[in-house]
Amino acid sequence: MRVLGVDPGLTRCGVGMVEGVAGRPLTMRGVGVVRTPPDAELGARLVAVEQGIERWLDEYRPEFVAVERVFSQHNVRTVMGTAQASAVAMLCAARRGIPVALHTPSEVKAAVTGSGRADKAQVGAMVTRLLRLDAPPKPADAADALALAICHIWRAPAQNRLQQAVAAHRTTYASKGRTA
């Protein structure tokens, strides 16, 4: 499974490509950050994020894109920029027919470190260990993008089984003239 993780942001949008399957060693294929100047006009920044993500999609051809689910923050301006960058990432993937999965920060932290309350340093340390890197990726946005990809690789098989079970349940009920 090839997954592009995207840690959305307008100034720094982390991107990381991981390949592998749950239960086996994973391999980092690439990691980086799409940057935009904070003083640039919003539309130009969104175009720059789009172009950066498109380059990653062209180069790495992921099977899935995992994006951090935007959550409420105290700074509305920050959450708006994060949501806009997230939408750009989802749009780029959808345009190519690549499935998108959203994972909350606590889901990612729990998957990678075992604790949904882990700090950035703990996430970076575990990403380094899991991908057998020499040092944690910098900045933290890049490590977070890799963590998103790892989380998706590990969680996708269970999520797929749940979705199949729900679909089977609905099919059974529908064949009996009921609604689930």
Side-chain angles (χ1 to χ4, degrees), residues 6 13 15 34 49-57 85 88-89 92:
V6 179
C13 182
V15 284
V34 175
V49 170
E50 177 197 25
Q51 290 170 341
I53 290 172
E54 289 288 350
R55 281 192 298 274
W56 278 82
L57 294 173
V88 168
C92 290

Side-chain angles (χ1 to χ4, degrees), residues 4-179:
L4 180 68
V6 179
D7 182 37
L10 267 182
T11 303
R12 289 182 320 270
C13 182
V15 284
M17 184 72 192
V18 177
E19 188 170 4
V21 295
R24 297 245 167 92
L26 303 174
T27 303
M28 180 187 76
R29 295 293 179 206
V31 65
V33 177
V34 175
R35 297 179 187 272
T36 69
D39 57 344
E41 185 267 326
L42 176 61
R45 294 178 80 186
L46 293 172
V47 168
V49 170
E50 177 197 25
Q51 290 170 341
I53 290 172
E54 289 288 350
R55 281 192 298 274
W56 278 82
L57 294 173
D58 285 341
E59 183 173 349
Y60 292 101
R61 305 263 182 225
E63 296 170 286
F64 299 92
V65 174
V67 180
E68 184 174 275
R69 183 183 301 272
V70 177
F71 64 100
S72 179
Q73 296 174 335
H74 299 294
N75 186 339
V76 174
R77 188 170 181 205
T78 300
V79 79
M80 288 299 294
T82 302
Q84 290 162 335
S86 177
V88 168
M90 290 187 282
L91 174 69
C92 290
R95 189 183 291 140
R96 293 168 183 248
I98 302 170
V100 175
L102 299 174
H103 299 284
T104 67
S106 58
E107 286 172 344
V108 174
K109 292 173 184 179
V112 174
T113 71
S115 170
R117 297 182 184 270
D119 63 23
K120 294 252 185 213
Q122 290 170 308
V123 171
M126 284 307 296
V127 164
T128 302
R129 174 183 267 169
L130 293 168
L131 296 175
R132 299 169 314 283
L133 306 176
D134 294 331
K138 300 287 185 194
D141 309 272
D144 289 348
L146 291 170
L148 276 152
I150 293 168
C151 173
H152 185 72
I153 290 170
W154 286 353
R155 292 176 54 104
Q159 288 175 331
N160 290 342
R161 284 193 300 275
L162 285 171
Q163 289 170 348
Q164 289 168 353
V166 168
H169 176 74
R170 287 185 177 146
T171 301
T172 301
Y173 266 62
S175 69
K176 294 179 181 180
R178 302 180 199 160
T179 59

